[in-house]
Amino acid sequence: MKKTYDVVIVGGGHNGLTAAAYLARTGRSVAVLERLDHVGGAAISAEAFAGIDARLSRYSYLVSLLPQRIVEDLGLEIRLVRRRYSSYTPVPGAPEKGLLVDNHDGAATDASFARVGEARDAAGFETFYGKTARLAEKLWPSVTDPLLTRSELRSLVGDDALWNEFIERPLAEVIERDLSGDIARGVALTDALIGTFVSAESESLDQNRCFLYHVIGGGTGDWDVPIGGMGAVSGELARAARQAGAELITQAEVTAIRAGSAAGTGRASGSNSQVDVTVAGASHTLEATWVLANVSPWVLGQLTGNPLPESKRPGGAQIKVNLLLTRLPKLADSSVTPEQAFGGTFHINETYTQLAAGYAAGVAGQIPSPLPCEIYCHSLSDPSILGPELQEAGYQTLTVFGLHVPHKMLTRENNEEMRAKLVASVLESLNSVLAEPIEDCLATDANGELCVEGKTSIDLEDALNMTGGNIFHGLLSWPWLEDGADLSTPAARWGVGTNHPRILMCGSGAQRGGAVSGIGGHNAAMALLEADV
């Protein structure tokens, strides 16, 4: 490890690795500092259960927002699999019926809508998602370019009615206009709630921004399975960064950043920033022309001695549960196979009214009952994450995401108790729509313990330094600048600026950040290259 670098990147998550690969390819000296003993951040695969040869995508799990431009620029060997089925939703209270949305068979999907008593929503779904497809087609190409203004993007979309429905007005209005059934409306709303604690009717439009990022990825909104798990994605980014010459330094705890000055423009102007870091117990101070922050804005404020007010501290609103099964559970619905039901997103107690009730419970500081959840089964699309013996025996993985559990409900004093209650709520919710208890299908690890792993927002904060367990590092931003915004610097034009001219935000906290995309890292690198001339 040297003492002076062109660029020091704080945080070795996938965005930091993306930025490192781009910048090191230009001949700049780049160091990535990661406090854990491995890089990848939330985009990792791990053997979550003792003695079990199964590498689960422990935190993040699907890929939609990773631009092909980044894959091609960096020569990444990443394979993604498109899922045959979009989703399956058992009818709460009558799980012998369920809605199966088949991406390849429109007639079968229409028949499934009729079977759950929402026949008219087959056409409504086509209308609703036809609109999101038009938005995605227009908005997606802009995410790896300098930011456009609101008026410019609105003009690019070229449909004021469409823009108003999804951008200007609460999402509830277009959902209720296009869809009439409780199940169909709930399926549509879930994409607005993953990682965001908000109601469908909120005038804040937080739900609209979350929804937008869930439906524009790749220009289609499809969410794909990464072959080899999420660790394969970060592994390729780490390979590209190292191959380009970046130093990836693990067990490196950054304790302070002292921002340098920027007295002019160009690589040699101003004074270097200083980064205090402890590596394997030894303290060091590194100097860098640029510092890229692949941490939350809250953490950056602490490191620079400019803490944000407590009102700005983000918090998550979810419980993540990983399960390993000896087999898929039996369904109450005899018309659908478990492979079909778990082949897409399995919605549990996520009707429109249940989601509203869950939000109300969360506001009141209560665990929703039943807990709205959704599941996906990685191993059906990609059995490679399981060892040969587990594959042969028919084992499967399930990833569950429980909604409307705001961070404010948890403390470090009650985290153990709350984790147990939330995991129990997840299993109870799942059991309410199955023909048998999920416990009958759970594998056991080498210690005889059930293969169930729960991660609360506090667990995410502790494991990943992800403030409040918020998976987006804070509220998502619109992927444009407001009219009249200051466009005088590359940092502003790329949406990666901070209060310090030589510090750029390169993670999920950047504008257009959030999810496994590499966009924050790419855009920070582009801003630096534009400024550093």
Side-chain angles (χ1 to χ4, degrees):
M1 183 172 62
K2 300 183 296 185
K3 291 295 184 181
T4 303
Y5 294 86
D6 293 320
V7 184
V8 167
I9 300 174
V10 180
H14 81 281
N15 273 305
L17 298 172
T18 301
Y22 272 104
L23 295 171
R25 284 158 63 97
T26 69
R28 287 166 171 79
S29 58
V30 179
V32 178
L33 306 178
E34 169 54 51
R35 72 186 187 102
L36 300 178
D37 62 2
H38 59 271
V39 295
I44 61 167
S45 300
E47 291 188 358
F49 306 115
I52 300 295
D53 188 10
R55 294 188 60 78
L56 280 71
S57 296
R58 195 167 214 167
Y59 303 109
S60 55
Y61 43 96
L62 294 172
V63 175
S64 176
L65 292 161
L66 176 62
Q68 186 62 25
R69 176 185 293 184
I70 294 176
V71 174
E72 293 175 357
D73 284 351
L74 301 182
L76 306 179
E77 297 180 5
I78 293 172
R79 293 174 56 208
L80 303 175
V81 172
R82 183 65 40 85
R83 298 179 295 172
R84 159 70 185 269
Y85 298 98
S86 175
S87 65
Y88 175 70
T89 309
V91 178
E96 65 277 4
K97 297 183 293 184
L99 172 64
L100 182 66
V101 179
D102 188 331
N103 290 326
H104 293 176
D105 191 336
T109 298
D110 292 352
S112 189
F113 270 107
R115 190 162 183 265
V116 299
E118 298 187 4
R120 62 185 294 186
D121 282 323
F125 244 52
E126 291 289 329
T127 298
F128 184 80
Y129 286 106
K131 293 176 180 178
T132 67
R134 297 202 302 276
L135 271 179
E137 180 184 4
K138 298 296 186 179
L139 296 180
W140 178 247
S142 73
V143 298
T144 49
D145 290 331
L147 285 157
L148 297 175
T149 65
R150 175 185 286 265
S151 294
E152 288 171 333
L153 264 184
R154 182 171 186 146
S155 177
L156 184 64
V157 170
D159 185 332
D160 283 349
L162 178 65
W163 180 273
N164 288 334
E165 283 186 315
F166 289 93
I167 308 302
E168 304 291 351
R169 298 299 308 154
L171 189 65
E173 294 178 13
V174 65
I175 289 177
E176 293 174 14
R177 184 181 303 118
D178 288 349
L179 303 167
S180 59
D182 204 24
I183 294 173
R185 287 176 172 179
V187 170
L189 179 59
T190 53
D191 280 335
L193 303 179
I194 299 295
T196 302
F197 184 61
V198 68
S199 71
E201 303 83 9
S202 175
E203 294 289 340
S204 72
L205 304 185
D206 293 345
Q207 73 279 25
N208 293 53
R209 292 192 295 276
C210 183
F211 181 83
L212 190 66
Y213 282 94
H214 277 90
V215 298
I216 66 170
T220 63
D222 290 306
W223 287 79
D224 297 332
V225 177
I227 297 299
M230 292 303 298
V233 177
S234 287
E236 271 298 288
L237 287 166
R239 179 195 62 78
R242 287 194 181 98
Q243 189 171 358
E247 290 184 57
L248 309 186
I249 305 166
T250 56
Q251 295 183 299
E253 180 84 32
V254 174
T255 55
I257 301 171
R258 291 181 295 282
S261 65
T265 60
R267 297 180 69 169
S269 67
S271 62
N272 284 347
S273 296
Q274 295 183 324
V275 179
D276 293 340
V277 58
T278 300
V279 182
S283 297
H284 306 267
T285 296
L286 307 184
E287 291 199 359
T289 308
W290 292 92
V291 175
L292 270 58
N294 187 28
V295 294
S296 74
W298 176 271
V299 170
L300 178 60
Q302 293 176 313
L303 292 176
T304 58
N306 297 290
L308 298 177
E310 187 65 28
S311 61
K312 298 292 186 181
R313 194 179 199 280
Q318 72 287 316
I319 174 69
K320 174 82 165 12
V321 179
N322 296 311
L323 307 172
L324 181 68
L325 310 181
T326 58
R327 59 177 173 81
L328 291 176
K330 299 173 185 176
L331 303 177
D333 185 351
S334 61
S335 70
V336 175
T337 69
E339 290 74 17
Q340 290 173 312
F342 289 97
T345 300
F346 191 116
H347 295 285
I348 307 163
N349 293 312
E350 287 190 320
T351 67
Y352 200 61
T353 54
Q354 285 177 315
L355 290 169
Y359 175 73
V363 169
Q366 302 169 355
I367 298 175
S369 181
L371 184 67
C373 300
E374 49 194 70
I375 291 179
Y376 106 99
C377 177
H378 187 116
S379 52
L380 277 175
S381 298
D382 171 29
S384 73
I385 64 169
L386 300 174
E389 292 183 3
L390 297 184
Q391 289 185 42
E392 185 176 352
Y395 279 56
Q396 302 287 353
T397 64
L398 292 183
T399 290
V400 191
F401 206 86
L403 305 183
H404 289 329
V405 187
H407 183 68
K408 66 180 182 180
M409 293 172 56
L410 289 85
T411 64
R412 280 190 165 69
E413 290 71 30
N414 74 6
N415 189 46
E416 293 285 335
E417 177 186 359
M418 285 296 293
R419 185 192 306 114
K421 287 182 178 180
L422 289 168
V423 169
S425 294
V426 165
L427 300 183
E428 181 181 6
S429 187
L430 177 55
N431 284 338
S432 73
V433 299
L434 297 176
E436 64 175 329
I438 191 66
E439 289 85 351
D440 290 353
C441 305
L442 288 173
T444 54
D445 66 14
N447 300 320
E449 301 290 333
L450 292 175
C451 291
V452 179
E453 179 187 61
K455 295 291 184 182
T456 68
S457 55
I458 285 183
D459 294 330
L460 295 185
E461 183 171 66
D462 290 345
L464 303 172
N465 203 21
M466 186 178 282
T467 309
N470 188 294
I471 61 175
F472 303 134
H473 290 187
L475 290 175
L476 290 166
S477 57
W478 293 118
W480 55 76
L481 290 169
E482 293 301 331
D483 296 337
D486 180 7
L487 297 172
S488 62
T489 66
R493 291 191 290 273
W494 286 95
V496 297
T498 70
N499 292 330
H500 310 281
R502 290 290 185 174
I503 301 177
L504 302 180
M505 186 63 66
C506 82
S508 289
Q511 200 158 357
R512 299 181 290 189
V516 177
S517 69
I519 295 171
H522 168 276
N523 292 348
M526 294 304 105
L528 187 155
L529 294 176
E530 186 178 321
D532 211 6
V533 295

